[in-house]
């Protein structure tokens, strides 16, 4: 029998999906049967990856799409499974990551009228009025399969929307009776469903932006996620090196500019001070950034001219957003930068002025590099975040992929891991913790030959559902190294409280309910769930050897590894 579920599997495969991260339930008999039937006949379908936790499933798809640009599929169980996707829905939406989510619906018949009619008590309890409404505010597209006859078209439309900028997740549902429907296969023309091409800058604006950068005394580019496309990084380096333009990352979620390149001027997060590079800039070009600065603390000079290029310049999913840009454009970063570079090649620029700017930024870059190196010095036997991150950096190569969910240690990790190649550094792009473990599994499945290292706070480690993550890593042969920056509590809420009430009761209290003392056995969780190589490291002298052994276990032993590294307690 060729069913609607068979059509769904084929449509996903034809759309480029290689992995389905699945958490099956009572609404999926037709899919389970279609998968078994395909295997029995040797027909190719995407790999089914059993995901005991739904948030981990979507985090896997999220990570895979970040690395490859290709949406993967997630299957969950009715409205309960949809809600259990939890913060991963927020993360995928805010990171503009393409993902295909399918959830079943409770059967709509109850007296055996159709195959799939209700036969379990839970199907009344799970019948809700507006299941799609649970995630509607986060989706690029949502719809319901009402017949199997047009499933290929709806899957293609969903994927077209998911992969068109600004990218994002899509959500489809289908009741048991629909997914059981016997249908005739439908052939469609794939070219009709391609994502929209990258948007360029208007030609007149290319010249305006190029001239502003070329004639400024202190031009600066601010970016967060430009590095989602490696070609954008190459064009940015070319532009900055020829004109002498500094680059400042604001809460970076990708590797946007090589940290060892002279125009790189660092990264700014929630630092409670004015960034001097931003303060002195007379022309600022913001490219692909949701939060280029926090204006109550850190902002450009009032006299600075601000240009803004973004795949999502209006930020229409953020109710309060503006940066007072002189001009703002919806355009693809790689395309826009290539246009500016091409214009400069035709029009030329003042090379003497560019040389003076280059000298200025080289001096500042070198000063910053010395400061960062100084922070990596050991503090007796104490392990600091800077010392730990530098030790990881020394043990890996330039192609190793870093996942950063260090939260209060975001800046230290970014500074001291110091990535130099596009596609080797990622953060979640959202604000819901627990992305790193599932994302590492998804990335490893997408690129088995590469090494992945997840650097995580102890709070975000617990949010990641490590028992599920490490079971999946073992079952599907997706080993990675996970390093826990263990300060025995939630430092972020403590910092937030003290920032607003520096002299309040919380500042004087011994306990503000953010401590994890006594700490869980983080390493032991991974060992029990997934047979991971584990070490708890409390002494600086033991760190290098522990990292070497852990990486050996991942690369040679095919085992995931967890290092529970104790930092000073919060």
């Amino acid at each position: 029998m060729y069913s609607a579920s068979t059509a769904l599997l084929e449509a996903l495969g034809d759309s480029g999906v290689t992995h389905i991260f699945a958490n099956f339930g009572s609404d999926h008999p037709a899919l389970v049967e279609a998968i078994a039937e395909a295997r029995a006949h040797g027909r190719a379908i995407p790999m089914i990856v059993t995901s005991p936790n739904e948030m981990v499933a979507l985090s896997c798809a999220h990570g895979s799409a970040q690395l490859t640009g290709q949406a993967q599929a997630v299957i969950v169980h009715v409205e309960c499974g949809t809600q259990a996707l939890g913060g991963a829905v927020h993360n995928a939406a805010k990171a503009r990551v393409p993902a295909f989510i399918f959830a079943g619906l409770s059967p709509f018949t109850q007296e055996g009228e159709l195959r799939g009619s209700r036969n379990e008590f839970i199907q009344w309890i799970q019948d809700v009025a507006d299941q799609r409404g649970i995630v509607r505010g986060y989706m690029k597209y949502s719809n319901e399969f009402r017949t199997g006859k047009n499933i290929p078209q709806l899957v293609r439309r969903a994927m077209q929307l998911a992969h068109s900028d600004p990218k994002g997740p899509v959500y489809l549902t289908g009741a048991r009776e629909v997914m059981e429907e016997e249908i005739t296969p439908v052939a469609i023309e794939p070219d009709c469903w391609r994502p929209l091409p990258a948007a360029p800058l208007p030609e007149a604006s290319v010249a305006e932006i190029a001239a502003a950068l070329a004639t400024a005394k202190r031009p600066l580019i601010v970016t967060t996620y430009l590095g989602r496309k490696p070609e954008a990084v190459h064009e940015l380096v070319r532009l900055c090196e020829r004109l002498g333009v500094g680059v400042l990352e604001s809460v970076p979620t990708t590797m946007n500019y090589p940290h060892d390149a002279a125009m790189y001027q660092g990264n700014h997060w929630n630092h409670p001070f004015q960034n001097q590079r931003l303060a002195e800039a007379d022309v600022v070009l913001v490219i692909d950034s949701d939060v280029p600065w926090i204006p109550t603390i850190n902002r450009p000079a009032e006299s600075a001219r601000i240009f803004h290029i973004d795949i999502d310049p209006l930020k229409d999913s953020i109710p309060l957003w503006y940066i007072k840009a002189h001009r703002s454009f919806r355009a693809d970063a790689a395309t826009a930068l290539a246009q500016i570079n091409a214009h400069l090649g035709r029009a030329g620029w003042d090379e003497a002025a560019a040389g003076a700017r280059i000298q200025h930024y080289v001096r500042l870059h070198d000063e910053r590099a010395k400061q960062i190196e100084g922070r990596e010095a050991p503090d007796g036997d104490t392990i600091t975040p800077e010392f730990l991150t530098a030790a990881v950096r020394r043990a890996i190569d330039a192609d190793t992929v870093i996942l950063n969910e260090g939260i209060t240690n975001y800046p230290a990790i970014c500074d001291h891991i110091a990535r130099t190649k596009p596609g080797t550094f990622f953060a979640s792009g959202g604000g819901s913790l627990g992305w790193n473990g599932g994302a590492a599994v998804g990335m490893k499945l997408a690129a088995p030959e590469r090494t992945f290292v997840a650097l995580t706070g102890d709070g975000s480690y617990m949010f990641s559902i490590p028992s599920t993550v490490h079971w999946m890593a073992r079952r599907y042969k997706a080993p990675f190294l996970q390093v826990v920056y263990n300060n025995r509590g939630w430092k972020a809420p403590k910092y937030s409280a003290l920032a607003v009430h520096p002299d309040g009761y919380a500042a004087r209290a011994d306990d503000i309910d953010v401590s994890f003392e006594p700490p869980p056995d983080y390493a032991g969780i991974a060992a029990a769930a997934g047979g991971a190589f584990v070490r708890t490291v409390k002494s600086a002298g033991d760190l290098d050897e522990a990292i070497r052994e852990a990486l050996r276990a991942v690369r040679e032993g095919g085992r995931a590894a967890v290092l529970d590294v104790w930092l000073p307690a919060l």
Side-chain angles (χ1 to χ4, degrees), residues 531-544:
F533 170 94
V534 298
R535 290 285 186 277
T536 298
V537 184
K538 299 183 181 181
S539 169
D542 297 333
L543 184 59
D544 285 340

Side-chain angles (χ1 to χ4, degrees), residues 437-463:
V441 171
M443 289 184 185
K444 184 67 174 179
L445 289 172
E449 74 287 355
R450 301 188 70 176
T451 300
F452 297 89
V453 178
L455 307 180
T456 174
D458 47 345
S460 48
Y461 178 81
M462 287 198 283
F463 275 122

Side-chain angles (χ1 to χ4, degrees), residues 191-260:
D191 285 350
C192 297
W193 308 97
R194 290 181 180 178
L196 297 183
L201 283 172
E203 278 304 321
S205 301
V206 173
E208 181 183 7
I209 295 171
L213 293 172
T215 58
K217 183 179 181 182
R218 293 288 178 262
L220 187 71
I221 289 174
V222 179
T223 185
T224 296
Y225 54 87
L226 171 148
R228 66 196 174 86
K229 284 189 174 181
E231 56 269 34
V233 178
H234 300 312
E235 292 289 348
L236 181 61
V237 170
R238 185 178 171 212
L239 173 65
C240 293
E241 288 185 347
R242 72 200 309 187
L243 287 187
V245 180
V247 175
L248 176 66
E249 294 180 295
S250 179
V251 293
T253 59
T254 58
M255 204 299 296
N256 300 298
Y257 203 88
H259 283 221
D260 60 351

Side-chain angles (χ1 to χ4, degrees), residues 379-510:
D379 181 13
D381 210 31
T382 300
I383 302 174
T384 64
E386 296 81 4
F387 180 79
L388 168 56
T389 309
V392 173
R393 185 191 69 236
R394 291 191 295 268
I396 61 176
D397 60 25
D399 292 315
T400 297
V401 178
I402 297 295
L403 294 83
N404 180 5
E405 199 168 19
I407 315 307
T408 54
N409 288 313
Y410 274 140
I413 290 171
C414 194
D415 281 342
H416 297 275
I417 208 67
R419 304 313 282 153
T420 60
K421 293 185 70 173
T424 62
F425 178 91
F426 297 95
S428 78
S432 186
L433 304 188
W435 155 87
N436 75 94
V441 171
M443 289 184 185
K444 184 67 174 179
L445 289 172
E449 74 287 355
R450 301 188 70 176
T451 300
F452 297 89
V453 178
L455 307 180
T456 174
D458 47 345
S460 48
Y461 178 81
M462 287 198 283
F463 275 122
S464 74
I465 327 291
S467 56
T468 289
V469 165
H470 286 282
W471 177 85
M472 292 176 67
R474 175 166 61 176
R475 173 161 178 171
Y476 296 105
K477 297 179 174 56
F480 67 100
L481 169 59
Q482 196 168 30
V483 181
V484 181
Y485 285 57
N486 186 353
N487 57 21
R488 272 85 72 211
W490 278 318
K491 188 179 277 190
K494 179 178 180 179
Y495 278 5
S496 296
L498 297 184
V500 178
H501 302 284
D503 301 312
Y505 288 99
R508 299 189 296 272
D510 294 329

Side-chain angles (χ1 to χ4, degrees), residues 284 286 293 305-309 321-329:
V284 180
V286 177
W293 48 78
R305 295 178 69 203
I306 300 170
F307 296 88
H308 179 212
I309 300 171
W321 196 94
Y322 55 88
I323 59 170
K324 299 182 179 179
H326 173 68
R327 299 289 301 277
S328 190
F329 307 94

Side-chain angles (χ1 to χ4, degrees), residues 54 121 314 340 380 404 461:
E54 292 89 345
F121 77 89
L314 295 178
I340 295 170
N404 180 5
Y461 178 81

